[in-house]
Amino acid sequence: QVQLVESGGGLVQPGGSLRLTCAASGDIISINDMYWYREAPGKEREMVAAITREGRDMYLDSVKGRFTISRDDAKNMVYLRMNSLNTEDTAVYYCNAPTVATFQGIRYDYWGPGTQVTVSS
């Protein structure tokens, strides 16, 4: 069994910063690509950032230059550093691991419960 848990969300003023953390636990051998998604009220869930096992990253156009995704495979953790936040970044942020190698075999599509990020003055 694999679990993902996000943390680090909260209320921040426009222009502020937050660092989200996703901790993966369970019988994990390795995690392939990892993603951060977000879902704002009344909007569809969208991919914000992704990082491969090799460390290659990609971003939603609207967050390029402001957000940075990183990972620590020794700790099975992925991070999202968010700078210059604006009100349009308000959403629930989710961590996703589409493919996880476990001691019981390959397992697919794990999600965390999400962490709320609210940008408001």
Side-chain angles (χ1 to χ4, degrees):
Q1 187 73 3
V2 174
Q3 291 185 328
L4 304 181
V5 178
E6 303 93 341
S7 61
L11 174 64
V12 63
Q13 292 185 343
S17 298
L18 284 174
R19 184 193 192 215
L20 305 184
T21 298
C22 173
S25 61
D27 296 331
I28 298 170
I29 297 174
S30 63
I31 304 175
N32 204 357
D33 302 346
M34 297 192 76
Y35 295 78
W36 284 99
Y37 284 78
R38 68 186 181 188
E39 187 171 339
K43 296 185 178 180
E44 292 187 354
R45 189 172 297 189
E46 61 183 358
M47 192 276 288
V48 176
I51 187 166
T52 69
R53 286 189 63 190
E54 295 77 21
R56 293 191 302 271
D57 54 9
M58 61 182 297
Y59 300 91
L60 180 69
D61 283 347
S62 62
V63 308
K64 284 181 181 177
R66 301 188 297 121
F67 290 12
T68 303
I69 188 171
S70 60
R71 62 190 291 167
D72 184 338
D73 290 335
K75 297 179 180 179
N76 288 325
M77 297 181 81
V78 64
Y79 308 96
L80 186 67
R81 177 67 180 180
M82 306 186 295
N83 295 328
S84 302
L85 286 161
N86 58 61
T87 56
E88 293 183 352
D89 297 316
T90 295
V92 178
Y93 284 71
Y94 299 91
C95 177
N96 171 239
T99 307
V100 180
T102 75
F103 290 101
Q104 289 76 41
I106 304 298
R107 299 291 183 262
Y108 300 97
D109 204 24
Y110 289 99
W111 292 85
T115 185
Q116 176 71 48
V117 171
T118 302
V119 185
S120 175
S121 55

